[in-house]
Amino acid sequence: MKAEDEVVTSPLSRTIDVNGKHLMVNVYKGAFEEDEWLFEVVQSDGHAEVSPMMYTSDRDALEAALQIIKTAR
């Protein structure tokens, strides 16, 4: 596997339950030091939403995902 194909998953990734829905929040980036973080929210039916923006830290990406989930309730 080439380095540009590798993905680093943040330990901040988690599974949460919101209004009876099971959501997986994945926070990840490419393997290069300069790569920025993004998030993906996957619903139990497999539907996924990927962040439209990149973030400088995994904490920022997670906070953005949680804010979007909170707003969507």
Side-chain angles (χ1 to χ4, degrees):
M1 178 180 282
K2 295 178 184 177
E4 59 266 17
D5 296 331
E6 293 181 31
V7 174
V8 175
T9 302
S10 168
L12 298 178
S13 296
R14 62 188 65 193
T15 301
I16 60 174
D17 290 313
V18 177
N19 297 332
K21 292 183 180 180
H22 186 73
L23 303 175
M24 181 175 288
V25 180
N26 299 312
V27 179
Y28 55 91
K29 71 176 193 126
F32 296 109
E33 184 69 31
E34 66 275 3
D35 289 343
E36 293 188 302
W37 294 91
L38 58 107
F39 67 82
E40 171 186 56
V41 178
V42 183
Q43 297 178 18
S44 57
D45 66 2
H47 178 78
E49 301 247 353
V50 178
S51 65
M53 298 179 54
M54 304 292 276
Y55 301 88
T56 56
S57 73
D58 56 347
R59 168 85 40 212
D60 289 344
L62 175 64
E63 288 177 9
L66 295 176
Q67 185 61 39
I68 287 172
I69 292 168
K70 181 179 176 181
T71 303
R73 284 197 238 175

